[in-house]
Amino acid sequence: MAGQVRRMSALPAGSQAPEAGLTRFLARAIARARYADLNAATLAQARLAIADCMACGLAGADTPAVRALAAAMADAAGPCGLWGRGERAAPHAAALINGTAAHVHALDDTNESMRGHPSVAVWPAVAALGEALDAGGEALLLAYCVGVETAAKLGRCVNDRHSRLGWHTTSTLGPVGAAAAGAVLLGLDDVRTAHALGIAASMAGGLRVNFGTMTKALHAGWSAHNGVLAARLAADGVTASEQALEGHEGFVALFCGDEDGKPEAAASWGAPWELEAPGVVIKQYPTCSLQHALIDLVLEARAQRPLDGPGLRLECSISQRLDAMRTQGWPTHGGSAKFSVEYGVAVAALRGTQGIEDFTDEAVRDEAVRAMADRVRVQVGAHLTPGNGDAAELRVFDGQTLVHQARREKPCGHPSHPLSEAAFADKFHALGDPALGAGRARQLLALIRALPSAGARALAQAAAPAG
């Protein structure tokens, strides 16, 4: 690997519109970002999201998709730890495996600008490359924040046309964000950072047709892998177009069309940081995030009254965005159940919860859930807030009598309805304890909460199983 490249003086966040071109503008902002630019709110959200990502990775570490991937990458030996596993791997391979593990259960965070999952694409890349470089806590936090910022600001440039075309944004925007994070860790200058972004832009992809399969999780890991590789290649002198994002037949043109692209949306880079506003949504349920407000409503209704009886009917109004990606018809396996509104509502109404164990192939065959789902009616709510993919309304009927009605704009876990510290700790330990044991999981969470006190190697060691 090439040695670190000396940076130029700092660029104040949000101080320039991308007049020289989107790629060069982002490269300059990335190369000149400094830890001192990060405010307390951004750092607090970064620690929360990093902890969430690592907990999700621990929960996915021993799933079939990750076991198969680890076996396929066994030849890619190196110094970097695999969360919740005993093996070690090269930085790009560790990013791939840890990123895939963190997305297997669909419990990792989301961001509204990106319309996807930022941390699962960026943090595994930062953690792996940071471990190889023995990076300290400030470098890790800066790289992570810059990576999320880049992916989300690029999302503002291409969404929502990009998302509506069927691209999995985690796998298209994610590699560019991960490459930006890698450029920070490697200390790349403006030019080499632009090359890293250009290399990653050519690696972008991910088809939403693969939602509900193991390949969806691979999208996230591949984003982290490609970001690490793009940054290392740029550090070693591999070039790419410095108009890769905005140029003719570039990222914006091909992923959303010039007529729908908004490269000027990147001008607010760092002002505010995306981790501060709109922030990240910490998911409570292992399903498509756009149905989480509806699931909250079902659980709240169930807490107020029994959801049973021969006349029970649940009428659910959902957003157009959720309707476009939900599973139609009864899900055939656990993966497709994550995108079935009827199935998700039925599980919540019947059991008063919604967890990983509810989305297995065996769970989908539960006749009691199927019977409850027959009482669920789903429609697009024309009266819901336009553009809000989370918005939902629930109406509960007993025969022809409306007995409960509620509407929600955002789910619990959204920055407007944040989880309590205790509720987040419960999620972290529910996911992390089985892989590490309660004691080691507490140690890992404490190290993350203490960032920047800990470095990459300390975090990696804490995320490894005992022995």
Side-chain angles (χ1 to χ4, degrees):
M1 184 188 305
Q4 292 194 349
V5 180
R6 184 172 169 271
R7 302 188 196 200
M8 299 170 68
S9 58
L11 171 70
S15 65
Q16 282 192 351
E19 297 172 358
L22 179 60
T23 311
R24 289 193 182 104
F25 169 79
L26 289 175
R28 190 165 185 249
I30 293 161
R32 302 183 181 197
R34 295 293 183 269
Y35 182 77
D37 299 334
L38 305 173
N39 59 25
T42 298
L43 289 169
Q45 285 296 297
R47 295 183 192 100
L48 178 68
I50 289 167
D52 188 67
C53 182
M54 295 194 76
C56 291
L58 291 168
D62 195 36
T63 53
V66 175
R67 289 197 299 269
L69 186 57
M73 300 297 291
D75 291 340
C80 303
L82 304 184
W83 304 338
R85 302 179 63 88
E87 307 99 318
R88 304 190 72 79
H92 64 281
L96 170 63
I97 295 166
N98 290 335
T100 301
H103 198 51
V104 160
H105 294 305
L107 272 163
D108 51 295
D109 64 32
T110 64
N111 169 268
E112 293 178 4
S113 300
M114 189 176 170
R115 298 276 174 94
H117 302 259
S119 296
V120 76
V122 174
W123 177 249
V126 171
L129 187 56
E131 186 179 1
L133 296 170
D134 195 16
E138 289 191 0
L140 296 176
L141 285 167
L142 177 61
Y144 169 74
C145 293
V146 165
V148 172
E149 183 72 8
T150 303
K153 285 296 192 288
L154 184 57
R156 288 177 181 261
C157 295
V158 297
N159 280 322
D160 67 346
R161 174 66 173 160
H162 177 58
S163 179
R164 285 192 287 111
L165 284 171
W167 294 108
H168 184 193
T169 55
T170 304
S171 194
T172 53
L173 305 168
V176 182
V184 170
L185 288 173
L186 291 167
L188 303 189
D189 63 13
D190 301 25
V191 173
R192 293 195 187 194
T193 298
H195 293 164
L197 299 181
I199 295 167
S202 270
M203 295 173 166
L207 308 178
R208 210 156 64 211
V209 70
N210 277 316
F211 277 22
T213 75
M214 292 181 184
T215 295
K216 180 178 185 286
L218 182 62
H219 286 175
W222 205 243
S223 293
H225 169 284
N226 288 346
V228 170
L229 188 58
R232 296 181 84 185
L233 289 172
D236 283 330
V238 175
T239 64
S241 170
E242 293 182 30
Q243 294 83 42
L245 299 178
E246 76 281 6
H248 174 64
E249 299 181 335
F251 187 100
V252 172
L254 295 181
F255 278 122
C256 79
D258 286 329
E259 66 279 4
D260 290 308
K262 305 177 291 291
E264 66 279 2
S268 61
W269 200 96
W273 291 90
E274 289 281 336
L275 283 164
E276 179 182 7
V280 295
V281 180
I282 302 298
K283 296 177 66 175
Q284 294 193 94
Y285 316 120
T287 54
C288 174
S289 63
L290 296 180
Q291 63 174 285
H292 284 202
L294 176 60
I295 300 304
D296 286 342
L297 292 175
V298 174
L299 294 176
E300 290 165 5
R302 189 181 188 276
Q304 295 174 28
R305 61 181 303 116
L307 295 181
D308 56 20
L312 176 69
R313 187 171 79 257
L314 305 175
E315 292 190 354
C316 308
S317 295
I318 63 171
S319 69
Q320 183 67 53
R321 281 174 56 197
L322 175 54
D323 189 61
M325 65 176 62
R326 70 187 179 99
T327 296
Q328 301 288 342
W330 192 248
T332 58
H333 53 85
S336 61
K338 292 177 178 290
F339 294 89
S340 171
V341 176
E342 291 86 352
Y343 181 87
V345 168
V347 166
L350 186 66
R351 298 177 181 157
T353 185
Q354 199 185 78
I356 291 172
E357 65 280 0
D358 297 313
F359 295 89
T360 64
D361 294 351
E362 182 179 0
V364 170
R365 295 191 290 270
D366 188 324
E367 290 300 325
V369 176
R370 184 81 181 253
M372 178 62 79
D374 288 340
R375 299 165 179 253
V376 177
R377 303 289 182 269
V378 180
Q379 63 183 11
V380 174
H383 61 290
L384 297 177
T385 305
N388 180 4
D390 297 304
E393 185 175 77
L394 173 69
R395 295 173 297 282
V396 181
F397 289 84
D398 184 356
Q400 298 303 311
T401 304
L402 177 65
V403 296
H404 179 88
Q405 183 173 6
R407 178 171 168 173
R408 194 166 194 134
E409 296 293 313
K410 295 295 177 184
C412 292
H414 185 272
S416 62
H417 301 284
L419 298 183
S420 67
E421 186 171 326
F424 177 77
D426 287 345
K427 176 185 177 180
F428 184 92
H429 285 290
L431 298 178
D433 287 6
L436 298 181
R440 291 184 68 81
R442 280 194 298 271
Q443 179 189 7
L444 175 60
L445 182 56
L447 285 174
I448 297 170
R449 285 175 166 168
L451 283 170
S453 297
R457 292 183 179 172
L459 290 174
Q461 183 177 5

